[in-house]
Amino acid sequence: MSSAGQKPEFKEHLLNSIAFLDDLPETLEACVILGLKENAPELRSASLKLAARFEMPSNVLKFIAQLEAQEGVSKKDKVDALKVLVKHQDRLADGSIAFLTRLITDENTSVILSQHAAQVMGALRWHLLDESERDAYLKTIARARSFCLPALMYPFEHQAGINGEGEHGLNEDAWDVLGVQLAAQLERNPAVGSLPSGTVNLLRRMFSEKVSRAYAAMSEVLGDGLYTEQKQEMKLRSILQELGEGNASRGRVLFYKERLACASCHRIDSRGGQLGPDLSRIGRIREPRDLVEAVLYPSATVVNGYENYAFELSGGETLDGMIHRETREAVYLINGAMSEMRIDRKQIEHVHNSTVSLMPSGFEQILSRRELLDLIAYLQTCR
């Protein structure tokens, strides 16, 4: 890593190779700092992914905190740095929540970066936040883009798991109050109707009849599940009637735009990512209705081989993603941020198939009617 004659491509390959280790030897910890000091964005990104994968000593975390605070650091690197810090420290410095909130609520931020920011913010622990941070968090929920909302529910899910246990748990009255506050912020968000069914069911489980005021407030906001399905069906039918008005050329441009980031996960012919299904022949194998449903309600049907799994760990944490690879000692997940997460098999208490797709929901809030029709028209030409 330190050799001046080594090309950036070699260094990046070395860093990516280290990620396949189950544990990071102390002798290789220096590689992380050396990579962070490089000016090449791909090396810095690879080093931050390593820091998120492994346990890091305090000197590395201190360096990452300094990097995150520097002027001129890209938003992506800043979010990646915050991901490392929140994993190791469960807290963020003053101003970090405000920065993440801007990414989560800004319509001009790419879908991938917004979602990544929401995942970082969702890794915070509710019981460790002070009053002002909790207030800021709740207000973020009211303004969050639709596809960010599921990740923002994680702190409440974690809190529900520790309620009644030790000093950090909330009693029923406090949990009831928090549920009412959360419901109020969700109600202010126009995208609440786009919540995936898995997130809706989670909220209903967390705030059941035991906490009567929160239960009533959540029921008012979330509505009846059957009614939601009927609304979605009506939406699909109305769009199908207008499919002939879409422009495939405009749809192709839209597919590759950073704002939607479709190509970050999906490949068409030789261009695009590989986290999601290959769409090169999607227009041949899927009916128009399937295409519209997949864009608007991705959790309705998940393609075999791309299932999202939720791992409940012994410490109360829940991690979800696609299973990327496995060893005798660990399971490795990959999520929408394309970062690999290692889970020690000894920590796994329960695994279940998540009902929430890795593909972000809420595109009906992002796309205009014309843009949606154009995108579907383009996908229909992929044969």
Side-chain angles (χ1 to χ4, degrees), residues 126 138 141 153 156 159 163 170-187 203 206-208 211-222:
W126 190 257
L138 287 168
I141 289 172
M153 297 302 109
F156 305 104
Q159 185 64 48
N163 282 346
L170 298 179
N171 59 36
E172 282 192 5
D173 287 340
W175 186 240
D176 201 9
V177 170
L178 179 56
V180 171
Q181 293 173 333
L182 176 57
Q185 299 304 324
L186 285 170
E187 187 175 25
L203 288 167
M206 289 194 298
F207 300 101
S208 61
V211 281
S212 57
R213 288 178 296 168
Y215 173 75
M218 281 294 174
S219 298
E220 182 72 22
V221 172
L222 300 176

Side-chain angles (χ1 to χ4, degrees), residues 39-212:
N39 290 324
E42 61 273 12
L43 295 181
R44 182 180 290 175
S45 178
S47 295
L48 287 169
K49 285 183 179 180
L50 278 181
R53 261 273 284 116
F54 298 108
E55 292 299 320
M56 287 288 121
S58 58
N59 64 313
V60 176
L61 296 178
K62 182 178 179 181
F63 188 89
I64 291 174
Q66 293 171 346
L67 173 69
E68 186 271 329
Q70 286 179 12
E71 293 289 336
V73 175
S74 72
K75 292 178 181 179
K76 179 184 180 302
D77 284 348
K78 196 175 180 74
V79 172
D80 285 342
L82 289 173
K83 178 181 179 180
V84 176
L85 296 175
V86 76
K87 172 191 173 182
H88 289 83
Q89 302 171 356
D90 291 323
R91 294 294 304 271
L92 293 176
D94 292 343
S96 295
I97 290 180
F99 165 73
L100 293 171
T101 295
R102 288 194 294 273
L103 297 182
I104 291 167
T105 59
D106 180 18
E107 296 293 332
N108 295 316
T109 301
S110 74
V111 170
I112 294 295
L113 187 57
S114 285
Q115 192 178 36
H116 193 182
Q119 290 169 349
V120 174
M121 200 156 166
L124 292 168
R125 293 290 174 254
W126 190 257
H127 66 272
L128 295 177
L129 300 179
D130 61 33
E131 187 174 346
S132 64
E133 290 171 333
R134 291 181 179 185
D135 183 60
Y137 195 101
L138 287 168
K139 288 179 178 177
T140 299
I141 289 172
R143 300 165 49 215
R145 302 169 79 184
S146 55
F147 49 84
C148 293
L149 285 173
L152 294 177
M153 297 302 109
Y154 291 158
F156 305 104
E157 182 180 11
H158 177 267
Q159 185 64 48
I162 64 172
N163 282 346
E165 299 179 6
E167 60 179 314
H168 300 310
L170 298 179
N171 59 36
E172 282 192 5
D173 287 340
W175 186 240
D176 201 9
V177 170
L178 179 56
V180 171
Q181 293 173 333
L182 176 57
Q185 299 304 324
L186 285 170
E187 187 175 25
R188 291 188 176 96
N189 193 317
V192 68
S194 300
L195 279 174
S197 59
T199 303
V200 171
N201 293 334
L202 170 66
L203 288 167
R204 286 181 171 142
R205 287 197 306 272
M206 289 194 298
F207 300 101
S208 61
E209 291 95 332
K210 291 182 179 180
V211 281
S212 57

Side-chain angles (χ1 to χ4, degrees), residues 248-317:
S249 296
R250 289 198 303 257
R252 184 181 187 280
V253 173
L254 192 63
F255 183 88
Y256 290 105
K257 271 192 173 180
E258 185 181 353
R259 178 169 69 95
L260 296 187
C262 301
S264 295
C265 297
H266 296 286
R267 177 179 293 263
I268 292 181
D269 295 329
S270 59
R271 184 180 176 188
Q274 300 182 60
L275 178 62
D278 189 312
L279 304 182
S280 301
R281 304 291 179 268
I282 195 68
R284 179 189 300 175
I285 62 177
R286 289 287 183 266
E287 295 294 326
R289 187 187 190 284
D290 298 332
L291 296 177
V292 177
E293 183 180 61
V295 172
L296 295 184
Y297 313 115
S299 295
T301 305
V302 179
V303 177
N304 290 336
Y306 294 89
E307 295 88 352
N308 192 27
Y309 290 91
F311 287 73
E312 297 175 12
L313 309 184
S314 54
E317 186 178 13

